[in-house]
Amino acid sequence: MDQGVTLFDTADIYGNEGFLEHRFGDNEKLLGKALKGRRGEAVIATKFGTTHNQGIKGDPAYIKKSVDASLYSLGIDYIDLYYQHRLDPDTPIEETVGTLAELVKQGKIRYIGLSEAPVDIIRRAHTVHPITAVQTEYSLWTRDVEDDILPALWELGIGFVPYSPLGRGFLTGNIKELEDLSESYPHQMFTRFQGEHFEKNVKAASLIEEFANKKGCTTAQLALAWLLAQGDQIVPIPGTKRLERVQENLGALEVKLTKEDLAEMEKIAPKGIASGGRF
Ligand SMILES: NC(=O)c1ccc[n+]([C@@H]2O[C@H](COP(=O)([O-])OP(=O)(O)OC[C@H]3O[C@@H](n4cnc5c(N)ncnc54)[C@H](OP(=O)(O)O)[C@@H]3O)[C@@H](O)[C@H]2O)c1
């Protein structure tokens, strides 16, 4: 916050004990502690709907319980942006968004977001109540959203929040060998960090690193600057546990990419360059 960051992204399911052992609300509680006395300076985004043992939940009763739990964990009296984390296949989106619209009326949340929602769902949701933001993975090596999601969002006037904008750490130049994988990130869950995919992806990332060296910025800054250059309504949310990396990543705002730079990057990192699916 001292560096001017205002948007903080969490979820009821995020925990600080490691993704696989998390407990509900752990990360929200941590964020709530940090917000003490500075709530007004922050835009707080949190999410509901992914559970440990009940699948995905988006029914009215579940949402009403979840929002109160998140408000309690965060220690705040309203959430700025409340996302449905994943779609509940058993609850029509109209019912979910209708319930969220009630929460807006009650003042418990200010804006509604969807995460990993396909275009038809976004359109249906938006007719019930304006959707403010969609959050889905997007980075130099995960560009699926360019096909249909981004054009639909620009048409509807909805913002886009790219998650894992650093390719879960790959687009930083810091991962060259398996030993470099951070113990605090569940890399083992993702095929791109395994076996021959890993080898290929290290090579692909090294080309991006070379271009960053040429531009005089770090690889992470280049990856974020590239995202920022894709549209004014794009707000990437890089994750890190280290203050010096927060500072480094914020330096992306100073990296200006020309049309020629973007064309060069298109050659170095064309769509589909990553080896292995994104999950
Ligand atoms: N909606 C969803 O379903 C969803 C899914 C995933 C993530 N998200 C959101 O998106 C946020 C970011 O995504 P993410 O954490 O998955 O991936 P990310 O931001 O692409 O990458 C995070 C990884 O990069 C490392 N890192 C960060 N800055 C670095 C730098 N300058 N140099 C070297 N390494 C650096 C971090 O390690 P250190 O921590 O050790 O610095 C961490 O391992 C999450 O915090 C979460 O809020 C949402």
Side-chain angles (χ1 to χ4, degrees), residues 95-116:
E95 212 175 305
T96 299
V97 177
T99 308
L100 292 170
E102 276 175 42
L103 299 182
V104 173
K105 272 203 196 121
Q106 291 166 10
K108 291 187 178 184
I109 68 173
R110 293 186 68 199
Y111 300 103
I112 300 174
L114 300 174
S115 173
E116 290 282 353

Side-chain angles (χ1 to χ4, degrees), residues 3-214:
Q3 304 286 322
V5 174
T6 51
L7 174 64
F8 295 87
D9 184 87
T10 184
D12 56 7
I13 201 164
Y14 293 173
N16 51 3
E17 297 296 315
F19 195 76
L20 300 175
E21 301 157 35
H22 49 195
R23 297 182 298 268
F24 264 69
D26 271 7
N27 190 256
E28 289 180 329
K29 283 180 193 151
L30 183 69
L31 180 55
K33 237 163 128 182
L35 282 174
K36 286 263 149 42
R38 301 187 71 170
R39 169 54 184 119
E41 294 169 58
V43 174
I44 302 302
T46 192
K47 316 182 193 79
F48 69 90
T50 39
T51 71
H52 294 302
N53 48 18
Q54 302 170 68
I56 311 282
K57 302 272 286 174
D59 60 89
Y62 181 81
I63 295 174
K64 286 173 193 166
K65 265 195 261 166
S66 296
V67 74
D68 288 341
S70 284
L71 288 169
Y72 172 80
S73 298
L74 284 157
I76 59 182
D77 54 13
Y78 67 91
I79 291 161
D80 294 280
L81 178 56
Y82 199 39
Y83 287 100
Q84 181 178 32
H85 209 160
R86 290 290 184 275
L87 287 181
D88 173 359
D90 299 325
T91 308
I93 191 67
E94 288 78 6
E95 212 175 305
T96 299
V97 177
T99 308
L100 292 170
E102 276 175 42
L103 299 182
V104 173
K105 272 203 196 121
Q106 291 166 10
K108 291 187 178 184
I109 68 173
R110 293 186 68 199
Y111 300 103
I112 300 174
L114 300 174
S115 173
E116 290 282 353
V119 169
D120 61 319
I121 294 288
I122 297 169
R123 287 190 188 280
R124 279 168 54 194
H126 200 62
T127 60
V128 179
H129 186 280
I131 300 300
T132 297
V134 167
Q135 179 174 141
T136 291
E137 185 174 357
Y138 186 33
S139 69
L140 264 173
W141 78 346
T142 301
R143 295 173 55 181
D144 323 75
V145 293
E146 290 175 0
D147 297 337
D148 56 349
I149 304 275
L150 294 185
L153 297 186
W154 303 161
E155 176 202 321
L156 298 169
I158 299 175
F160 184 68
V161 177
Y163 79 67
S164 301
L166 298 171
R168 306 182 192 276
F170 235 128
L171 300 169
T172 66
N174 259 40
I175 299 178
K176 300 219 163 36
E177 294 171 18
L178 285 171
E179 295 76 60
D180 297 331
L181 296 178
S182 154
E183 278 176 20
S184 63
Y185 196 96
H187 285 120
Q188 71 282 0
M189 283 171 61
F190 302 96
T191 51
R192 289 179 179 177
F193 294 89
Q194 294 165 10
E196 108 190 27
H197 294 305
F198 181 84
E199 302 297 327
K200 286 187 188 154
N201 288 330
V202 169
K203 276 195 197 128
S206 71
L207 298 178
I208 300 167
E209 188 178 6
E210 272 172 33
F211 191 73
N213 291 338
K214 217 164 95 184

